Amino acid sequence: MLAGELALARIDVAVVERRESQDLPGSRAGGLHARTIEVLDQRGIADRFLSQGQAVQVARFAQVTLDISDFPTRHNSGLALWQSRFERILADWVGELKVPIYRGLEVTSFAQDDSGVDVELSDGRSLRAKYLVGCDGGRSLVRKRAGIDFPGWDATISYLIAEVEMTEEPASGIRRDEKGTYALGKLEDGRVRIVLREEQVGQGDGPTLGDVREALVALYGTDFGLRSASWLSRFTDMTRQAASYRNGRVLLAGDAAHVHSPMGGQGLNLGVQDAVNLGWKLAQVVRGTSPESLLATYQSERHPVAARALRKTMAQTALSRGDERMEAVRETMSELLEMEEPRKRYAAMMSGLDIHYDLGQGHPLLGRRMPDLDLVTDSGPQRVFALLHDARPVLLDLGEPGALDIAPWADRVRRIDARYAGAWELPVFGAVSAPAAVLIRPDGHVAWVGEGSDRGLREALTTWFGPPTPA
């Protein structure tokens, strides 16, 4: 996703990928939340994913499904789509953008200086780049070699996850005991997908078929004629977050910056949104239109979002245990989440629709996602998200045409005169007053709101998109 964002900004970018192909064994992550779908829609590629998945309410907390069908968004549900499909569709898009991918190679070391980073590859070659971003997962070599601390909490439980063949009919469905939740379920091709808690916390991600058999017997009293596994892995509830998302010219995104239990399905979604927050900022710094200090806002905006998600996944892991005391807590949470206000707040949080970057005091839109309104322009009807397809900032002028002058930023910011007569509504927050103008960042968040004057506009343009071009 980050490569795609940089390529849209016409920045020379390359991906180093240790896998030989885009093939991904197993199902892994199983869905996209609403804000992630919106982000893809902002780039004009959401339909590629929607056509391959199934719209479904995927926001959940404490095993309670949180319905967002009444939320003010075009995408008022999640999308059931396995990670293997998601990655392939995204890789095809990046290929269309002509991003080179160095497959079958790993980064073995790097060294940074005042002007760039020398990156050593596993085949002996090296690359020279202005910046290096580690998108290399929870065991990130980039994070470790950059000397970035990874504080957090050690694992208290581990799970085996696999796709297997069995000769007997499995006991399908979700079960829970005092230590955790586990489940078996048949796939369309006859294989069985399993998620099994282990009696003892397992170490490493290389479990064996014997480990699976042992766990099945312990939990079900039988292995259901377990024969083979086409995919087998282990995950835990270890929860950690990078102390900093940046050290000099080295940055982190996705699981390299934060790891946690998969409860709530936040991981893949957080990573995609990290990339979209970072991409346009890094592009402007590389191009020289913005100072390097702009990169500090990547940390200040995304670190709190992930920190909150980590706390919520820890809570859900605790709630997955089935002893009587925790059952009472879970019942209480379920009762609360059936109430309108708590349901909306938690649904917005889990779906990513409530993300609010702290850009100061002002209109409720400031720092929040811009709604995808149906606009009327001189050239015809237009959706807000369609204006963001090329990942450029937009000044949307809904007042008197020509009243706002952004000529010194015209090379960077697209100006659109439009009209909108409908209601303005934000998830959870509700109805808000109609602004006269909004400055929309490439990631879809509102950087400035005009309420009848241009007060603060030049400052916002300079802060987010660099100093004005001299006349």
Side-chain angles (χ1 to χ4, degrees):
M1 190 72 206
L2 179 58
E5 293 291 291
L6 291 166
L8 285 174
R10 293 176 172 78
I11 298 298
D12 184 18
V13 58
V15 177
V16 178
E17 170 57 65
R18 68 179 180 179
R19 285 151 53 191
E20 293 282 357
S21 72
Q22 203 56 47
D23 294 338
L24 183 68
S27 305
R28 302 180 191 264
L32 305 181
H33 284 297
R35 180 55 187 159
T36 303
I37 302 172
E38 285 192 341
V39 163
L40 298 170
D41 202 354
Q42 289 172 185
R43 297 299 177 257
I45 57 175
D47 285 345
R48 304 186 187 198
F49 301 89
L50 295 172
S51 64
Q52 297 291 317
Q54 180 180 358
V56 65
Q57 298 297 334
V58 300
R60 294 173 65 86
F61 191 89
Q63 284 81 54
V64 177
T65 299
L66 304 170
D67 191 349
I68 64 170
S69 61
D70 59 344
F71 277 29
T73 169
R74 290 183 200 276
H75 304 291
N76 56 1
S77 67
L79 185 71
L81 182 71
W82 292 119
Q83 182 178 332
S84 55
R85 290 297 308 145
F86 177 82
E87 283 195 19
R88 187 173 294 279
I89 298 168
L90 202 59
D92 289 345
W93 175 59
V94 172
E96 293 168 14
L97 295 172
K98 309 300 183 186
V99 174
I101 300 180
Y102 294 85
R103 291 197 176 276
L105 296 175
E106 296 187 53
V107 171
T108 56
S109 66
F110 58 86
Q112 59 174 313
D113 53 40
D114 291 342
S115 61
V117 187
D118 290 305
V119 183
E120 301 297 326
L121 305 184
S122 53
D123 67 349
R125 284 186 291 174
S126 64
L127 299 173
R128 175 73 175 176
K130 287 188 176 181
Y131 289 88
L132 171 67
V133 185
C135 303
D136 52 339
R139 296 180 177 83
S140 173
L141 177 142
V142 173
R143 184 190 65 241
K144 294 172 183 175
R145 292 295 176 92
I148 297 174
D149 290 338
F150 204 42
W153 296 266
D154 291 334
T156 64
I157 190 169
S158 62
Y159 286 88
L160 298 173
I161 183 169
E163 291 170 5
V164 303
E165 290 186 1
M166 295 173 166
T167 59
E168 301 171 17
E169 189 69 18
S172 297
I174 298 174
R175 295 187 181 187
R176 184 183 296 113
D177 62 20
E178 70 281 357
K179 291 186 177 180
T181 304
Y182 48 97
L184 304 179
K186 269 198 167 183
L187 299 173
E188 292 181 356
D189 60 6
R191 291 178 302 155
V192 180
R193 191 167 196 258
I194 64 174
V195 181
L196 305 173
R197 69 155 186 80
E198 295 185 274
E199 289 295 324
Q200 304 295 327
V201 176
Q203 301 297 325
D205 61 354
T208 66
L209 198 63
D211 293 327
V212 176
R213 181 171 284 108
E214 181 180 332
L216 282 168
V217 172
L219 295 172
Y220 294 92
T222 176
D223 66 1
F224 300 104
L226 178 68
R227 291 195 306 186
S228 62
S230 56
W231 173 57
L232 178 56
S233 188
R234 173 183 280 123
F235 67 85
T236 74
D237 67 337
M238 182 177 71
T239 304
R240 297 187 180 279
Q241 186 175 22
S244 173
Y245 284 11
R246 178 186 172 210
N247 181 356
R249 292 180 172 272
V250 179
L251 299 105
L252 305 174
D255 287 358
H258 39 73
V259 296
H260 50 83
S261 162
M263 292 285 185
Q266 297 295 300
L268 183 152
N269 294 271
L270 283 172
V272 169
Q273 293 170 44
D274 284 348
V276 174
N277 184 282
L278 175 60
W280 64 274
K281 298 172 180 177
L282 185 57
Q284 288 179 185
V285 172
V286 168
R287 193 181 295 114
T289 55
S290 289
E292 197 172 273
S293 58
L294 179 63
L295 294 178
T297 67
Y298 171 55
Q299 162 92 13
S300 65
E301 292 180 353
R302 292 304 299 172
H303 196 279
V305 171
R308 182 177 67 163
L310 264 59
R311 300 291 296 187
K312 297 303 183 248
T313 57
M314 289 170 65
Q316 291 190 84
T317 299
L319 286 165
S320 72
R321 300 185 174 107
D323 63 81
E324 289 300 319
R325 289 176 174 81
M326 195 53 70
E327 185 67 35
V329 176
R330 187 164 48 253
E331 288 176 1
T332 302
M333 284 297 302
S334 298
E335 291 171 2
L336 286 171
L337 293 174
E338 288 173 359
M339 300 177 187
E340 192 73 351
E341 185 67 15
R343 188 266 304 179
K344 286 185 176 181
R345 286 183 178 272
Y346 272 72
M349 175 180 62
M350 299 306 293
S351 63
L353 292 171
D354 75 336
I355 293 173
H356 179 206
Y357 299 137
D358 184 6
L359 305 188
Q361 298 296 313
H363 193 282
L365 278 168
L366 187 63
R368 290 186 166 90
R369 51 176 277 288
M370 177 66 186
D372 186 24
L373 308 177
D374 288 307
L375 306 172
V376 177
T377 71
D378 290 342
S379 58
Q382 185 70 276
R383 287 173 52 201
V384 167
F385 284 5
L387 301 176
L388 299 173
H389 284 182
D390 59 359
R392 287 184 61 195
V394 172
L395 177 68
L396 185 60
D397 191 346
L398 300 161
E400 187 68 27
L404 300 174
D405 179 19
I406 63 165
W409 289 270
D411 59 330
R412 284 158 273 169
V413 181
R414 183 181 180 189
R415 178 200 172 106
I416 300 292
D417 292 324
R419 297 175 298 283
Y420 177 71
W424 289 74
E425 187 179 2
L426 297 173
V428 182
F429 201 95
V432 299
S433 59
V438 287
L439 179 62
I440 310 170
R441 307 189 320 187
D443 60 1
H445 283 259
V446 176
W448 172 84
V449 181
E451 298 183 81
S453 74
D454 65 353
R455 182 180 178 182
L457 177 57
R458 292 180 65 88
E459 291 83 354
L461 287 164
T462 301
T463 296
W464 297 110
F465 311 118
T469 301

